[in-house]
């Protein structure tokens, strides 16, 4: 509780004084230097050798726990409750499988491969992740962004279909040797294989927290721009036109230009069908689904209704043969035979696969962490790398493209009561039925229906453009990262734009870390508490003593900044080395010569040898003007660094465990003089 405003003696402030509680403490001890305190506390510097660390790691390995850690299903499956969890998982699995059918077909076509590839992913990827993954709720399979990135690689390395010349011979592109042909699915599986290898390598290197380098503005700007790419790729199917498939920089601009040129040739039947499906999906998503969610726990399968309805209407009317509307085409039954990706392609797509790998892992980790926090369980980053590696490697042998988790399907799996990855197993079994018997019934499905479903599903990513306001409030650097990433991805290309965004994000992180905070400290009367005199009006400097606080690491890169800030704040090297010391009672002690500088190291996490050498130079310079240098409150790692520097000929500092110890020592030295 705060009292009403009362006058303060020196008239500097009219703020209220707080009421102090009755709890007080009094400590009586000698003034200690850091070395004395370390002897008192029996401080021991623990720095094991590399052999000791390796030996300790080997001794800590337990075969059973290691096996369970590598196969998380062995941890939770024995404790699975058939009574409490089975029905919920079956419900969630059925619901997700219903969504997998239209999304898998749509995003398979988006990736530049056949529609049934997305259905294969819904079967194989979900099963493998259930064995290796640690998240209980994410739904693996197709994802718009990774499908689009895969499509770019497919367009780069897949052999185009030969065109027939006027003399009746096949004309092959000059860049492709006549004896080398790579189908789109071979390129896509090669990307999946390389991504799986990268995931395992990252797991071995313990790079599980790599996704944290992708800041929120970066991810938001990238996914929003990727949604623009996806939308542009679907316009041709919405209009029923054919345009060249551009690759490389500025393909969005080139594609839009080609769409404008070809738009007069639009297939009106495809346009009308697209409009009807878009209006239907918007009505379902904006009105019917929110209303139905209050009445029933099962979400309305609007996408499946659109797919089934479009297939039936197309079959009855004959949209393909009678109206020249593009159809999905042949969907083979059964599971694909295992096939190893071409070795030559694995080497060719290695660099291009890096971006797919990073994006896929970032999406999986971000969604996994969201559900883990909601339901209070742990998602292990390095094990997620193992899970993604196994999922992509197995998928690459069975005609699958790189995987990620779907945002919409994962949310649905959580909302419908899914408890474990048994829901994914049920979803996979339903997809198996689809692949074995039902798949061919969707051959009459118009491609414009799938394009309309994709465009409506992009709303969630496109509305992220409103995040600009939030990032503007957070800071100019966040806004700059979002804008640069978005514009780079849209204007240039996905992988190059992502690289630019990562670089800008790291630069922004470096700039934030480079900004240091420093100040002079004073004490609040009768408290022995030292605070920034610029922020605390009642704080006063001590006679003859300057206390300098620095926040941040001190190293070779910023040692000059530290030294400049120290001399600027303390003014100890100026010709007139004096300071006006205010007193709380309104009087002043007049001009006092500074005799001691105390550096508060409590907020310094690290010092290197160059920083210790710089402190030695400062100590020598101050001694020339009869000013003593004291160091106070270092962390143990900083203290060890100072001792190491002293061992190699630098240092010789007076170090104290607290600022007050250093102050008492300085006052005692001054009185002795």
């Amino acid at each position: 509780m705060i009292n009403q405003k009362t006058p303060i003696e020196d008239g500097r402030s009219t703020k209220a004084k707080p009421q102090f509680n009755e709890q007080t403490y009094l400590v009586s001890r000698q003034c200690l230097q850091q070395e004395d305190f370390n002897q008192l506390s029996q401080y021991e510097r623990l720095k094991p050798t590399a052999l000791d660390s390796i030996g300790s790691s080997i001794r800590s390995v337990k075969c059973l726990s290691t096996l369970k850690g590598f196969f998380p299903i062995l941890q939770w499956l024995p404790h699975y409750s058939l009574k409490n969890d089975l029905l919920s998982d079956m419900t969630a699995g059925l619901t997700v499988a219903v969504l997998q059918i239209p999304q898998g077909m749509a995003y398979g076509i988006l990736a530049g491969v056949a529609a049934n590839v997305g259905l294969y992913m819904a079967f194989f990827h979900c099963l493998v992740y259930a064995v290796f993954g640690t998240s209980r709720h994410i739904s693996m399979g197709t994802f718009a962004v990774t499908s689009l990135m895969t499509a770019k690689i497919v367009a780069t390395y897949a052999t185009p279909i030969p065109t027939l010349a006027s003399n009746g011979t096949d004309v092959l592109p000059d860049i492709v040797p006549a004896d080398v042909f790579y189908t789109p699915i071979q390129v896509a599986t090669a990307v999946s294989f390389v991504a799986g290898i990268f995931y395992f390598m990252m797991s071995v290197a313990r790079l599980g927290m790599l996704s944290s380098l992708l800041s929120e503005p970066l991810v938001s700007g990238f996914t929003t721009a990727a949604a623009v790419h996806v939308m542009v790729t679907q316009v041709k199917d919405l209009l029923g036109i054919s345009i060249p498939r551009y690759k490389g920089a500025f393909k969005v601009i080139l594609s839009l230009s080609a769409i404008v040129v070809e738009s007069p040739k639009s297939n009106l039947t495809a346009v009308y069908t697209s409009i009807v499906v878009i209006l239907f999906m918007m009505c379902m998503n904006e009105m019917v689904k929110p209303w139905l969610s209050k009445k029933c726990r099962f979400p309305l399968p609007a996408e499946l209704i659109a797919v089934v309805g479009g297939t039936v209407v197309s079959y009855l009317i004959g949209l393909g043969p009678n109206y020249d509307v593009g159809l999905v085409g042949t969907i083979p039954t059964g599971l694909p035979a295992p096939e190893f990706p071409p070795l030559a392609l694995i080497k060719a797509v290695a660099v291009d696969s890096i971006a797919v790998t990073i994006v896929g892992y970032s999406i999986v980790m971000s969604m996994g962490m969201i559900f883990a926090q909601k339901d209070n369980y742990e998602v292990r980053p390095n094990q997620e790398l193992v899970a993604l590696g196994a999922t992509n490697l197995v998928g690459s042998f069975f005609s699958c493209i790189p995987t990620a988790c779907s945002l919409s399907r994962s949310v649905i799996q959580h909302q419908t009561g899914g408890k474990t990855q048994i829901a994914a197993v049920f979803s996979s079994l339903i997809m198996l039925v689809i692949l074995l018997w039902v798949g061919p019934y969707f051959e009459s499905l118009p491609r414009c229906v799938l394009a309309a479903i994709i465009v409506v599903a992009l709303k969630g990513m496109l509305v992220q453009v409103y995040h600009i306001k939030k990032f503007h409030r957070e800071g100019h650097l966040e806004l700059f990262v979002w804008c640069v990433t978005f514009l780079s991805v849209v204007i240039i290309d996905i992988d190059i734009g992502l690289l630019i965004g990562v670089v800008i994000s790291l630069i922004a992180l470096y700039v934030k870390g480079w900004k240091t905070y420093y100040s002079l400290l004073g004490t609040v009367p009768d408290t022995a508490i030292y605070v920034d005199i610029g922020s605390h009006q009642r704080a006063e400097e001590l006679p003859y003593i300057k206390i300098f606080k620095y926040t941040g690491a001190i190293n070779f890169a910023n040692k000059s900044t530290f030294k400049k800030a120290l001399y600027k704040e303390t003014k100890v090297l100026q010709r007139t080395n004096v300071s006006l010391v205010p007193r709380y009672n309104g009087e002043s002690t007049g001009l006092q010569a500074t005799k001691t500088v105390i550096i508060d190291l409590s907020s310094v996490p690290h010092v290197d040898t160059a920083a210790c050498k710089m402190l030695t130079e400062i100590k020598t310079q101050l001694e020339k003007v009869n000013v003593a240098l004291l160091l106070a409150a270092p962390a143990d790692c900083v203290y060890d660094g100072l001792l190491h520097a002293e061992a190699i000929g630098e240092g010789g500092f007076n170090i104290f465990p607290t600022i007050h110890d250093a102050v008492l020592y300085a006052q005692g030295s001054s009185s002795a003089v």
Side-chain angles (χ1 to χ4, degrees):
M1 182 180 295
I2 305 296
N3 285 334
Q4 298 295 323
K5 293 183 178 180
T6 57
I8 297 179
E9 294 179 4
D10 63 357
R12 288 182 300 168
S13 173
T14 59
K15 291 184 178 179
K17 291 183 180 179
Q19 283 187 345
F20 299 102
N21 59 38
E22 297 180 356
Q23 296 178 347
T24 61
Y25 68 91
L26 176 64
V27 178
S28 178
R29 63 172 175 83
Q30 293 179 339
C31 175
L32 297 174
Q33 292 199 26
Q34 186 70 47
E35 184 178 358
D36 301 327
F37 177 75
N38 287 345
Q39 292 179 358
L40 181 65
S41 65
Q42 297 183 354
Y43 171 71
E44 181 180 358
R45 184 185 182 190
L46 298 177
K47 189 175 182 181
T49 63
L51 291 178
D52 293 335
S53 300
I54 296 174
S56 177
S57 300
I58 294 176
R59 287 191 298 270
S60 63
V61 171
K62 298 180 180 179
C63 294
L64 183 59
S65 61
T66 302
L67 184 64
K68 289 183 177 180
F70 191 76
F71 299 99
I73 193 173
L74 299 178
Q75 294 178 332
W76 57 264
L77 188 59
H79 306 286
Y80 187 79
S81 174
L82 295 176
K83 179 180 179 181
N84 298 326
D85 300 335
L86 183 60
L87 182 59
S88 298
D89 283 338
M90 290 180 63
T91 303
L94 174 62
T95 307
V96 170
V98 169
L99 293 175
Q100 287 272 25
I101 298 171
Q103 290 189 5
M105 298 173 67
Y107 293 140
I109 293 177
L110 175 63
V113 294
N116 57 301
V117 171
L119 302 181
Y120 295 153
M121 296 173 65
F123 174 71
F124 290 104
H125 288 173
C126 289
L127 279 182
V128 177
Y129 184 83
V131 175
F132 292 94
T134 59
S135 175
R136 302 174 188 173
H137 297 100
I138 62 175
S139 174
M140 302 301 292
T142 54
F143 179 58
V145 177
T146 52
S147 295
L148 180 66
M149 299 177 74
T150 303
K152 174 185 179 299
I153 304 176
V154 167
T156 302
Y157 295 98
T159 305
I161 299 176
T163 58
L164 194 65
S166 58
N167 59 1
T169 60
D170 289 339
V171 178
L172 295 176
D174 295 336
I175 60 172
V176 180
D179 57 343
V180 178
F181 295 94
Y182 294 128
T183 63
I185 191 59
Q186 286 180 317
V187 178
T189 54
V191 176
S192 180
F193 182 86
V194 173
I197 296 296
F198 282 158
Y199 283 129
F200 276 116
M201 293 173 60
M202 291 166 62
S203 177
V204 172
R206 315 297 292 178
L207 297 178
M209 299 309 296
L210 182 65
S211 63
S212 60
L213 293 179
L214 302 182
S215 62
E216 184 182 1
L218 170 64
V219 174
S220 175
F222 173 75
T223 53
T224 307
V228 174
H229 273 266
V230 175
M231 178 168 287
V232 171
T233 61
Q234 298 307 301
V235 172
K236 60 182 178 60
D237 287 330
L238 293 175
L239 300 179
I241 59 177
S242 297
I243 62 171
R245 193 160 191 171
Y246 298 100
K247 51 189 177 182
F250 312 109
K251 68 179 181 181
V252 168
I253 299 175
L254 295 174
S255 298
L256 288 175
S257 176
I259 289 171
V260 172
V261 173
E262 296 293 327
S263 58
K265 303 178 183 178
S266 299
N267 186 318
L268 294 181
T269 304
V271 173
Y272 296 150
T273 304
S274 302
I275 293 174
V276 170
V277 175
I278 291 175
L279 292 177
F280 170 78
M281 292 299 303
M282 292 177 63
C283 179
M284 291 292 105
N285 292 340
E286 302 299 328
M287 292 185 289
V288 179
K289 282 186 178 181
W291 174 82
L292 190 62
S293 63
K294 301 177 183 178
K295 309 291 183 180
C296 178
R297 62 180 294 187
F298 298 98
L300 181 69
E303 294 87 351
L304 184 61
I305 294 174
V307 167
V308 173
T311 303
V312 171
V313 172
S314 174
Y315 178 79
L316 295 177
I317 300 179
L319 292 181
N322 298 334
Y323 298 93
D324 200 26
V325 175
L327 304 180
V328 168
T330 304
I331 298 180
T333 57
L335 298 176
E339 181 181 356
F340 195 85
L343 293 176
L345 270 177
I346 291 175
K347 180 179 179 181
V349 303
V351 176
D352 299 87
S353 303
I354 295 176
V356 180
T357 303
I358 296 175
V359 171
Y361 178 61
S362 301
I363 297 298
V364 168
M365 274 305 301
S366 60
M367 289 300 296
M369 292 300 295
I370 290 174
F371 295 123
Q373 292 173 1
K374 286 183 178 180
D375 287 13
N376 193 27
Y377 64 89
E378 180 186 8
V379 171
R380 293 186 282 127
N382 281 295
Q383 182 59 32
E384 288 300 295
L385 288 172
V386 173
L388 285 170
T391 302
N392 280 281
L393 281 179
V394 173
S396 67
F397 300 137
F398 295 96
S399 301
C400 294
I401 67 174
T403 188
C405 69
S406 165
L407 309 183
S408 58
R409 294 196 308 270
S410 300
V411 171
I412 291 298
Q413 182 167 323
H414 184 267
Q415 290 178 347
T416 51
K419 300 293 182 64
T420 67
Q421 282 296 331
I422 291 296
V425 175
F426 278 109
S427 175
S428 298
L429 294 178
I430 296 173
M431 296 308 302
L432 179 61
V433 174
I434 300 295
L435 289 169
L436 293 179
W437 294 290
V438 183
Y441 290 102
F442 293 106
E443 292 179 355
S444 299
L445 175 64
R447 295 171 66 97
C448 59
V449 173
L450 293 177
I453 292 174
I454 292 176
V455 169
V456 175
L458 292 175
K459 176 189 173 184
M461 288 193 288
L462 291 174
V463 296
Q464 291 181 127
V465 71
Y466 294 111
H467 290 178
I468 291 180
K469 296 180 180 179
K470 181 182 74 170
F471 295 131
H472 178 67
R473 290 193 299 267
E474 291 180 359
H476 296 298
L477 284 177
E478 286 77 5
L479 178 63
F480 181 71
V481 170
W482 192 98
C483 293
V484 170
T485 304
F486 176 82
L487 294 175
S488 300
V489 173
V490 170
I491 297 176
I492 304 177
D493 204 356
I494 286 184
D495 48 0
I496 299 176
L498 177 61
L499 177 61
I500 294 174
V502 170
V503 171
I504 296 298
S505 182
L506 293 177
I507 292 175
L509 180 64
Y510 178 76
V511 170
K512 290 180 180 178
W514 186 263
K515 291 182 179 178
T516 55
Y517 170 78
Y518 55 85
S519 63
L520 285 181
L521 303 185
T523 181
V524 178
D526 303 323
T527 65
I529 298 175
Y530 298 89
V531 292
D532 183 356
I533 60 174
S535 304
H536 300 263
Q537 297 183 15
R538 293 191 63 197
E540 60 182 49
E541 290 188 74
L542 297 173
Y544 311 109
I545 299 174
K546 296 284 188 181
I547 306 174
F548 178 75
K549 180 182 180 67
Y550 187 85
T551 301
I554 309 175
N555 49 47
F556 70 94
N558 63 0
K559 62 179 183 178
S560 299
T561 304
F562 175 88
K563 182 187 290 188
K564 185 183 299 184
L566 175 68
Y567 291 153
K568 174 185 175 182
E569 292 293 322
T570 59
K571 302 180 176 62
V572 290
L573 294 184
Q574 294 184 5
R575 184 180 299 274
T576 307
N577 178 25
V578 294
S579 61
L580 184 62
V581 182
R583 300 301 300 176
Y584 180 65
N585 58 11
E587 301 175 358
S588 64
T589 60
L591 296 177
Q592 304 286 347
T594 301
K595 297 182 179 180
T596 305
V597 171
I598 299 173
I599 300 178
D600 176 17
L601 298 176
S602 60
S603 298
V604 176
H606 172 72
V607 294
D608 62 4
T609 304
C612 295
K613 183 176 181 181
M614 178 266 301
L615 290 174
T616 304
E617 295 172 355
I618 293 175
K619 177 174 177 288
T620 302
Q621 288 179 325
L622 294 181
E623 287 174 348
K624 293 179 180 180
V625 292
N626 298 319
V627 177
L629 176 66
L630 307 179
L631 306 181
D636 289 341
C637 58
V638 174
Y639 179 72
D640 291 339
L642 296 173
L643 289 184
H644 175 72
E646 188 172 344
I648 60 176
E650 303 292 341
F653 305 108
N654 288 319
I655 309 173
F656 297 86
T658 68
I659 298 176
H660 197 58
D661 284 286
V663 169
L664 294 178
Y665 179 86
Q667 290 175 337
S669 300
S670 299
S671 60
V673 175

